[in-house]
Every structure is written in structure tokens, then in C-alpha cells.
Amino acid sequence: MTQATPFRPARAPWAADAARSRGRLVAEPDSPSRTPFQRDRDRIIHSTAFRRLAHKTQVFIPHEGDHFRTRLTHSIEVGQISRALARALGLDDDLAEAIALAHDLGHTPFGHAGEDALDAAMAPYGGFDHNSQTLRIVTKLERRYAAFDGLNLTFETLEGLVKHNGPLLRADGSPTPPAGGRGVPAAILEFDALFPLDLASHASLEAQAAALADDIAYDAHDIDDGLRSGLLDVEQILEAPLLRGLGAEVEALHPGLEPARFVHELVRRLITRFIEDAIDESRRLIAASGVASVEEARAFGAQLVAFSPAMAQAEREIKHFLMKSLYRSDPLMRMRAQAGRVVCALFERYFANASSLPPEWAKTALAARQDEAKRARAVCDYIAGMTDRFAIAEHRRLFDEAPDLR
């Protein structure tokens, strides 16, 4: 048994226990060298959907520069932060990392612009949601294994992906706010009927750590990328009180530091401040809750891995600043509009003419010729899996024009 240290506390009683996992949809023999959660992580890393994230937009389209984050680098950063949180809290850091690495597998090309466009195109057929698309990928669309479709992940990883933002159902069966105004996506309900995911409870604390790590990662790296792009400047970002305080700390320690090093020192301090606050507050919340098992943590009724109220307010201020100054900036809004047109055009063409799809996808779409919803979902699955550059290439092939997304 590994001895507890200040850097790796002993496993907490409320941690998920790989030896007591609720298992997989299709039963498999245990691995002699890896826990079930380690196998989940490895399957995610080796999936085609994970590799495609290398060429999917986070905020800036990859061709804008080699140093901007992509969905892949974002997922890796979330994985690292989730491990740090989980380890400090005595949780299973392999499970937290697995959930973190898979949480964005369902994203479309062109980031949220692509998701919004695909959701609009799919509105008559149930809409599109990247969380439910992630579930479709890991339970159905990845076709690599002889014995099953998908990756056959454990219950604990799947519930972490589905309940990324909390429970989807209330105790009375009505949808919660994270499920949105349209209710729980059909793909989640269909899989839940086959392999129940306890949609009315919170996910494990490992999943909560992964969700908080997602916020930490994109707040920090969107500031970094926004400055790199020139759409933000240092004076702007110091409008946020937390960033202003961190900037003063850097200046006091390293007066006159060159801009690139100043930004890096600022961002690394921001990540550290977020993580340390989350660890302290989560320890306090867990202790106050009295939970003594993973089941009690799920049933507690509130998040137990969280920022302190003061840090939560500071984090909201940073999000507000990024929304106002970066995400809604004119250049990014123009890119979003053009990217949305590309996705809509591809959907309309494939839906109207399934023979435009590759043979295996065309076969699926044509088999659903009499069922528009099934045909639309097949087209949606194909487009959602595209990388940015492939979507642009397909648009060029089908319409003989190259969209300008700069």
C-alpha cells in the first residue's frame, strides 16, 4: 500500500473505489495491470475521437497560429488540473483524469459556433448537445472493439460525462436547469434505460473535480490566448480585481518584466490560486457535509468540490470580462458567423443528398430514408465528428469555394 504523504493523502472514504466499480454495460475480465478507471482513461486516449480534438477549435481556429489551444490541448490541461484536485482531496485521480480527457469528445468543428449551428439545424429532430454527443461517441459511434460498440466505459466515467454540470433530473422526474429548456437529450434517456446512470443524483466527487478543472483551465488559457491574439491587452485584463491583484504581485517580484513573461507569471498564479482555493473550500465542504462514502457524496444534494464564495465571485467576474471583451469581439463574432454558415451548408447538402457522404455514412443515412429524424441524426453524427480543416475541405469539395474564417 502506498504511504500517505502531504502531496498524496490517503484515499478518502468518499472517493470512488475502482475495485468496487458498478461495472460496464458489457462485462469484461479485469486487467491484471490496470484498474478499471485506468483502462477507461487509456481507451479514451487511444480513441479516434480524442485524436480529432487536435484539429478542433477551442476559441481560435488552429490555422490562426500554432500556439493557440485546441480542444485537445484544453482537454489535456483539464486532465492535469483534475488530477491535482483529486489527488489533494484523496480521490481517485485516474477517474478524474478519464472524465476530464473525455468531457469534450462530442464537440463539433469550430467550437461553440459549430455547436450552435448544428443545434439549429437539428431543432426539428431533437437538437444537438455536445454532452449527449460525447455519450453517443463513447457508447456507440466509436467502433474499434470486436465485442461492443463504443468504448464500454465504466459507470463511474459515464455518469461523470453525462452529469458534467450536475443532476439532469429532480427527484420528481422533472428536468433540472443543466438539462436545459428542452429536457434531457434523447440519447441520454435511451442509454439510461439500458444502463441506469442515476440522473437525479450528483456524480462522484472525481467528476465534480473534473468539472471545476474545466472552468479553471479555460478561464486561464483563454486569457493567455486572447493576449497572444492581440484581441486583449494587459491593461484590459487587469480590470478584473483578481487579475489586478495577481498582476501587482508579479510586478512587485519582477519589476519591468517583458510582456510575454509577465503574462505567463500572471496565468500560472491564477491557476494556482484557483486550485488552492478549491482544495481548501472542498475540504471544508466535505467535512461539514459529514459524508462517509461515495454513495453519500452522490446523494448529498449539492456540489462538494467548489470554489469559496469569494473565489466563485472572482471567477464569475473573469468569465464576464472574457465574454464581453473576447468571445463577443468583432473578429471572433465574424468567425463564428462564417463557421456557422459552413456547418449549416454541409448539413443541408448531406441531408438532401446522402450520396454526398462517405459510403459507410451514406449507407446509414439511406437506410433511414423514410425516417427523417434518424437520417438527420446520421448526418449530425458525421458533421459533429469533423475537424475544422476537414469541414473546410468538405465545403470546398461540395460547393467549390473556400470559406474565409479569418
Side-chain angles (χ1 to χ4, degrees), residues 14-17 22 37 86 89 91-100 154-167 197-198 201-212 286 291 293-300 302-306:
W14 46 80
D17 184 351
R22 295 198 200 178
F37 302 151
L89 296 172
L91 305 175
D92 190 299
D93 47 0
D94 294 316
L95 174 59
E97 183 184 28
I99 295 166
T154 61
F155 166 90
E156 290 79 7
T157 299
L158 292 175
E159 72 150 356
L161 297 176
V162 166
K163 295 183 279 189
H164 186 60
N165 295 312
L197 296 175
D198 296 351
S201 73
H202 280 270
S204 65
L205 299 189
E206 286 82 359
Q208 295 179 34
L212 198 65
I286 292 167
V291 301
S293 68
V294 64
E295 291 80 12
E296 289 181 10
R298 286 191 179 101
F300 181 68
Q303 295 287 118
L304 291 173
V305 180

Side-chain angles (χ1 to χ4, degrees), residues 6-80:
F7 301 105
R8 182 180 283 278
R11 177 182 295 277
W14 46 80
D17 184 351
R20 299 176 58 207
S21 168
R22 295 198 200 178
R24 307 175 188 274
L25 176 62
V26 178
E28 298 182 59
D30 289 338
S31 166
S33 58
R34 294 174 295 166
T35 72
F37 302 151
Q38 289 169 345
R39 291 180 83 186
D40 282 0
R41 178 201 57 210
D42 296 348
R43 288 180 178 185
I44 290 160
I45 289 173
H46 288 280
S47 69
T48 54
F50 187 73
R51 291 197 296 277
R52 288 197 300 266
L53 296 179
H55 301 287
K56 291 195 176 193
T57 293
Q58 179 63 25
V59 174
F60 295 93
I61 292 178
H63 70 224
E64 295 282 357
D66 292 338
H67 295 163
F68 292 120
R69 271 74 171 189
T70 65
R71 284 285 163 191
L72 180 62
T73 56
H74 164 68
S75 297
I76 292 170
E77 291 181 14
V78 177
Q80 179 268 316

Side-chain angles (χ1 to χ4, degrees), residues 129 131 162-185 199-200 202:
D129 167 77
N131 276 348
V162 166
K163 295 183 279 189
H164 186 60
N165 295 312
L168 299 182
L169 295 176
R170 298 186 178 91
D172 64 4
S174 62
T176 62
R182 291 176 299 195
V184 181
L199 300 181
H202 280 270

Side-chain angles (χ1 to χ4, degrees), residues 270-384:
L270 177 62
I271 294 172
T272 299
R273 198 66 54 87
F274 276 148
I275 291 174
E276 291 177 350
D277 178 90
I279 291 169
D280 289 344
E281 179 66 7
S282 300
R283 285 173 175 164
R284 187 190 69 78
L285 290 172
I286 292 167
S289 73
V291 301
S293 68
V294 64
E295 291 80 12
E296 289 181 10
R298 286 191 179 101
F300 181 68
Q303 295 287 118
L304 291 173
V305 180
F307 293 128
S308 67
M311 186 60 76
Q313 176 60 30
E315 196 265 344
R316 285 192 294 270
E317 290 168 353
I318 290 173
K319 275 190 170 62
H320 176 76
F321 164 75
L322 288 170
M323 180 62 68
K324 175 188 69 172
S325 303
L326 181 62
Y327 307 142
R328 290 180 178 164
S329 64
D330 289 343
L332 285 187
M333 292 302 290
R334 286 195 298 271
M335 182 278 288
R336 285 176 60 92
Q338 184 65 5
R341 286 192 285 270
V342 169
V343 170
C344 287
L346 291 175
F347 183 91
E348 290 170 4
R349 175 61 63 89
Y350 294 139
F351 186 71
N353 182 8
S355 62
S356 300
L357 293 162
E360 65 273 22
W361 289 94
K363 181 180 178 181
T364 302
L366 289 169
R369 192 177 315 211
Q370 304 306 315
D371 188 328
E372 283 196 350
K374 286 185 178 178
R375 187 165 87 252
R377 189 59 62 183
V379 170
C380 176
D381 286 339
Y382 181 59
I383 294 174

Side-chain angles (χ1 to χ4, degrees), residues 131-166:
N131 276 348
S132 67
Q133 189 68 15
T134 294
L135 183 68
R136 285 179 62 78
I137 287 169
V138 301
T139 61
K140 186 173 186 177
L141 298 178
E142 280 281 328
R143 291 172 182 163
R144 301 165 53 82
Y145 297 90
F148 46 79
D149 287 339
L151 304 181
N152 200 35
L153 303 177
T154 61
F155 166 90
E156 290 79 7
T157 299
L158 292 175
E159 72 150 356
L161 297 176
V162 166
K163 295 183 279 189
H164 186 60
N165 295 312

